[in-house]
Amino acid sequence: MLGKKRIINFVILFLIISIFISNIFCLAQQEEVSVFLDGNLLNTEVPPHINNGRIFLPARDIVEALGGRITWFPALKLLNIIMSDREVSVVMDVPEAEVNGKDITIENAPSIIQNRVMLPLEVISLLTDLEADLDKESNQLNINRKRPLITGIRNYTHPDKTRIVLDLSEKTAYNVLTLNDPERIVIDIDASISQLESEQKEVLIDNLLVSRVRTGQFNQDTVRVVADLKNMNEYDVFELSSPQRIVLDIYMSQEQAGSAAESSFPPEVREETLPETEAAAVKENDKYVVVIDPGHGGSQPGAIGPSGLKEKDVVLDIALKLKRILQNEGFSIYLTREKDVDVSLESRPLMALQKEADVFISIHINSVFQKGSPTAKGVETYVLNSRHTDASAKDVADRENKASEFYNSGDDILDIILGDLSESASIDFSLDLADMVQKRLVQQTGLGNRGVKQAPFIVLKGVNMAAVLVEVGFICNPNEEKLLKTSEFREKIAQALSQSVKDYLKNMPENI
Ligand SMILES: [Zn+2]
């Protein structure tokens, strides 16, 4: 048993020890760190520091240095950060973050220290892909961003425009400006060119509109792409996703199109720009071959809606309508099936190869079987690639591939169906077509836009032309099933598909 005095002694001793320990921690808490972002010292109003082995940085300084925008809601202690493709929200002292609408758990909560909002390194890594490395001896933290890369530059000369396409590893911010004397269009991209082949850094085009395209690392953060023009013409810059691209279109003026028809240009250029009568245009169209592939058929019903509507019947009707429209305009059209019969997945692209098709379009209706699936909705267009855009793209590919006898759900499916196709130009053609198909379908059907995606489909295997697979709505969704039942809605889909095929063929690059 302890006497009263001894207890008091113990309490005092305990207090002394705890004050001593907390002093040690205090020292540890105050340990300052110097931060280098992409090799440059980050200047901050309050110093970044290590707190119990965790690194905290002043929110505003680091976010602004990363090029993000910050909004602080003091009453809620909520911080909202917008970066180029990400939106992150955190609440002080709450170990959770919302990233692009999704809640995730974080180990270290942000907090207010010395009247400043401080973010743990963990939250900063949610804003941008980075590598961080702390040198414990010098207390120096190096944060290096994984820069978006420009992976390629392509150009196409169309009768009415020149298109320059910049391939990117991911979405990134860009700015456009024009300079004159000589006339130039400049695109500054927040990226690095380290992956660009040296012969791609200056590309000679020398057509009626553009002399050449040059690319260089303008400064540490920026790649500058310069199109040297013959004249300053109307132009358009926009981005496309999956994969990420920035596209510059430079348009031919009326006068240029007119003068191109005069004798000052070689005869082949004149022919391209000569106005055609409608009848001549229709006759022209028969040089284009389109193979239409209604999915499934016969013993393979495809997806089935809640009221029993079968994918195989809807897509056959759409395919027949599309055939009628395109045939009336003179195109050469073949269907992989015209009736409710079994057709193997492998023989479908074979037909497109045998007919030397310019366009191969496979028509399907989407469906998902997970809980809550009746609410899935919208249109998506696929092109073949070795990788899936996202998990749901894999589900769709798995489902549509099931009809193949070679199919198994393992990863070796990629070996079976890929070959070297993903490296060939048909991916670019297919992406161009897919963008047009997706845009027209969304416009004309009013269905939701699920975007252009890439996944390995057997039906698209070995096709060396523009080849896409469309999933026109969800048959599992009672609202979309109802629409798909009507001939009127199927006609809309066929019209959208025919329009996009025509858009594509009209602008098809002749040679790459
Ligand atoms: Zn299908």
Side-chain angles (χ1 to χ4, degrees), residues 237-271:
V237 182
F238 56 96
E239 49 188 339
L240 297 170
S241 57
S242 313
Q244 200 64 38
R245 284 154 290 162
I246 295 174
V247 180
L248 165 63
D249 279 341
I250 302 148
Y251 297 102
M252 193 94 102
S253 69
Q254 294 261 319
E255 302 82 64
Q256 282 166 324
S259 70
E262 282 161 21
S263 55
S264 55
F265 293 95
E268 58 271 28
V269 178
R270 230 183 304 152
E271 268 162 39

Side-chain angles (χ1 to χ4, degrees), residues 369-385:
F369 301 103
Q370 291 99 335
K371 203 175 144 214
S373 62
T375 55
K377 59 183 181 191
V379 179
E380 53 198 24
T381 305
Y382 285 86
V383 300
L384 176 74
N385 203 351

Side-chain angles (χ1 to χ4, degrees), residues 272-283:
E272 262 184 358
T273 51
L274 279 178
E276 291 162 332
T277 68
E278 215 159 287
V282 167
K283 194 163 176 294

Side-chain angles (χ1 to χ4, degrees), residues 295-296 301-303 311-312 315 362-367 396 399-400 469-471:
H296 316 277
E311 177 181 358
K312 65 170 183 177
V315 295
S362 188
I363 307 171
H364 289 258
I365 312 287
N366 225 329
S367 181
V396 173
R399 183 163 46 74
E400 302 296 8
L469 185 148
V470 288
E471 296 274 357

Side-chain angles (χ1 to χ4, degrees), residues 331-496:
F331 294 94
S332 306
I333 307 298
Y334 299 92
L335 262 62
T336 55
R337 66 180 179 98
E338 306 231 359
K339 288 197 274 292
D340 185 17
V341 291
D342 278 279
V343 181
S344 79
L345 271 186
E346 290 75 14
S347 70
R348 294 170 194 251
L350 211 60
M351 179 183 215
L353 284 174
Q354 284 162 351
K355 301 292 180 194
E356 297 183 348
D358 298 291
V359 168
F360 177 76
I361 185 161
S362 188
I363 307 171
H364 289 258
I365 312 287
N366 225 329
S367 181
V368 283
F369 301 103
Q370 291 99 335
K371 203 175 144 214
S373 62
T375 55
K377 59 183 181 191
V379 179
E380 53 198 24
T381 305
Y382 285 86
V383 300
L384 176 74
N385 203 351
S386 55
R387 61 188 175 85
H388 306 275
T389 313
D390 56 34
S392 78
K394 184 176 185 317
D395 290 344
V396 173
D398 281 349
R399 183 163 46 74
E400 302 296 8
N401 285 338
K402 254 181 206 142
S404 165
E405 49 185 308
F406 299 124
Y407 180 72
N408 79 54
S409 60
D411 266 337
D412 50 0
I413 183 129
L414 297 179
D415 303 333
I416 304 170
I417 63 173
L418 275 177
D420 59 355
L421 186 62
S422 62
E423 294 304 315
S424 77
S426 65
I427 282 288
D428 292 334
F429 293 160
S430 301
L431 281 170
D432 287 347
L433 174 62
D435 287 332
M436 295 175 191
V437 165
Q438 181 68 14
K439 195 175 123 207
R440 291 277 183 186
L441 273 174
V442 168
Q443 251 172 23
Q444 293 199 24
T445 64
L447 294 181
N449 187 354
R450 299 172 66 93
V452 170
K453 299 182 177 179
Q454 300 191 32
F457 288 97
I458 287 175
V459 75
L460 299 179
K461 181 202 173 190
V463 182
N464 60 0
M465 63 217 58
V468 298
L469 185 148
V470 288
E471 296 274 357
V472 204
F474 278 80
I475 208 164
C476 58
N477 176 328
N479 295 329
E480 297 196 349
E481 187 198 27
K482 208 170 140 193
L483 287 170
L484 289 164
K485 261 185 198 166
T486 68
S487 176
E488 192 193 351
F489 192 74
R490 295 173 190 178
E491 180 71 29
K492 270 190 195 171
I493 294 171
Q495 290 289 351

